Amino acid sequence: METKLFDQDHIAEAAAVLAKGGLVAFPTETVYGLGASALLPDAVAQVYQVKGRPSDNPLIVHVAAAEQVAAFVDNLSPMAKQLMDTFWPGPLTLIFKIKPDSLPSIVTGGLTTAAFRMPDHPQTLALISQAQQPLVGPSANTSGKPSPTSAAHVWHDLHGKIAGILDGGATRIGVESTVLDLSDPSGTPIILRPGAIAKEQLETVLETEVLLDKHLVSAGEVPKAPGMKYKHYAPNTKVMMVHDTDWPAAINWAQANHFKVGVLAGPTIAEAVRKETAAIYQYFDDSPEAAARGLFAGLRALDESTAALDLLLAATFTEAGIGAAYMNRLKKAANHEYFQENK
């Protein structure tokens, strides 16, 4: 299959491909999504096949306007409307109980709930509008690997497997959206996946408690939202997390074991360890925002480095704000393994 690169001037052509059941990757402010019509089961089945994604992993439905959600959800609560008014378009996914048979079961993973998001990217909003149907949009990569934050990343993983890629440049945030479960109208809202919209922001808007579910699903359990599996976002090269105070010991340990090491970190740590490492992916600055934006690109770049690395060491951040989203992804990429000095 030939994979075509679409630009701003060819959105209508990309939309026509989607309307006919083809697959087109699209940019968002978070990561690139692999688009297919959410109303065409055969198209959605192709998404699972192309990604190598487990079929019990539900998909997020992307809409171009909040009003589109009403076709699938009865009686949106005042809380839901408030969140949509405040954060849409933006990196917030909301899970609702849906009308029976309003979406193909292949989209929902067989659940009675579905996740919805309105992405904050003008090209993709135009794409959804011109396709005249909502789109599923899981990350446009091989399942389980680092998510794509540029059209080049999508091309690397999926060229020859999908009809096209809408090139919208590098993504602005770099980690997937916050997923908030509102499927129980009488219950407390629960974050199933942290993202750029933090727990504190949601609580400020809602003026009520928001819970954070740290539960990771087992192999035989159906996840309610994407990204809840134990190991995810992982490159082929082993990843290990390093606390700020442990870098000298971690570098000494790696040298003693003759490991060729790559490092993902901000400028302060990168400069301190540069002479002792084989390759470095340096975040723009020392902030968690820069780390989140660069994490997936960094994992990909070091994994594919000509230095043939044995190990990737990654900087950690406090789990607050977008730092919580960064650490959520990094922990899964590292299979929850930290460097320990007595290793």
Side-chain angles (χ1 to χ4, degrees):
M1 177 187 294
E2 180 184 358
T3 299
K4 183 170 182 176
L5 283 174
F6 297 105
D7 59 20
Q8 173 71 38
D9 296 328
H10 295 88
I11 291 176
E13 184 181 348
V17 171
L18 289 162
K20 294 177 182 177
L23 306 189
V24 176
F26 56 79
T28 77
E29 76 279 27
T30 58
V31 301
Y32 273 70
L34 179 53
S37 169
L39 306 181
L40 299 177
D42 289 346
V44 178
Q46 289 182 60
V47 169
Y48 284 105
Q49 181 179 1
V50 164
K51 280 180 60 67
R53 180 185 176 102
S55 59
D56 67 349
N57 205 351
L59 302 173
I60 295 172
V61 178
H62 293 68
V63 298
E67 293 74 23
Q68 288 181 279
V69 177
F72 310 99
V73 180
D74 278 327
N75 302 319
L76 285 170
S77 68
M79 181 182 291
K81 292 177 181 177
Q82 186 177 17
L83 290 170
M84 293 157 80
D85 288 345
T86 304
F87 295 111
W88 281 14
L92 178 64
T93 294
L94 301 174
I95 295 180
F96 302 112
K97 188 172 180 62
I98 58 171
K99 301 175 185 178
D101 303 320
S102 60
L103 282 169
S105 62
I106 194 170
V107 173
T108 64
L111 301 174
T112 59
T113 58
F116 296 87
R117 178 162 111 81
M118 183 181 174
D120 188 11
H121 198 290
Q123 290 178 221
T124 291
L125 292 176
L127 180 70
I128 299 169
S129 295
Q130 292 184 45
Q132 298 185 342
Q133 48 202 297
L135 305 178
V136 298
S139 56
N141 61 312
T142 303
S143 186
K145 297 302 180 183
S147 299
T149 55
S150 71
H153 294 160
V154 182
W155 181 269
H156 177 276
D157 283 17
L158 302 181
H159 77 275
K161 299 179 181 180
I162 63 176
I165 303 168
L166 177 58
D167 189 349
T171 63
R172 175 166 49 86
I173 294 174
V175 292
E176 297 86 349
S177 60
T178 303
V179 176
L180 185 68
D181 187 0
L182 297 177
S183 61
D184 181 0
S186 61
T188 303
I190 303 174
I191 295 174
L192 300 185
R193 181 181 71 187
I197 305 298
K199 176 179 185 288
E200 296 78 10
Q201 291 174 271
L202 297 169
E203 290 179 332
T204 297
V205 169
L206 296 177
E207 298 182 340
T208 188
E209 181 185 20
V210 173
L211 301 178
L212 178 60
D213 184 3
K214 296 185 177 181
H215 155 244
L216 294 166
V217 301
S218 62
E221 190 178 355
V222 178
K224 204 169 188 178
M228 294 181 72
K229 295 289 187 180
Y230 194 82
K231 188 174 182 182
H232 205 59
Y233 315 113
N236 292 323
T237 310
K238 178 180 176 62
V239 180
M240 187 179 292
M241 297 175 283
V242 182
H243 291 299
D244 284 352
T245 56
D246 288 340
W247 278 98
I251 295 298
N252 289 339
W253 167 78
Q255 289 181 320
N257 284 279
H258 306 290
F259 292 144
K260 293 183 72 174
V261 173
V263 166
L264 295 91
T268 300
I269 292 171
E271 287 305 314
V273 303
R274 190 173 299 277
K275 293 180 180 179
E276 292 84 16
T277 55
I280 288 179
Y281 187 93
Q282 182 175 307
Y283 302 142
F284 292 114
D285 56 44
D286 291 321
S287 69
E289 288 80 9
R293 186 176 182 186
L295 175 61
F296 292 142
L299 289 173
R300 284 175 172 268
L302 291 177
D303 195 39
E304 296 159 17
S305 169
T306 56
L309 301 171
D310 301 308
L311 179 67
L312 306 185
L313 299 178
T316 59
F317 285 83
T318 301
E319 296 187 43
I322 199 167
Y326 170 84
M327 288 303 298
N328 172 270
R329 306 323 189 266
L330 179 57
K331 285 178 180 179
K332 291 173 184 174
N335 205 20
H336 293 250
E337 185 174 355
Y338 287 87
F339 167 77
Q340 296 176 337
E341 195 164 358
N342 61 352
K343 285 185 68 69

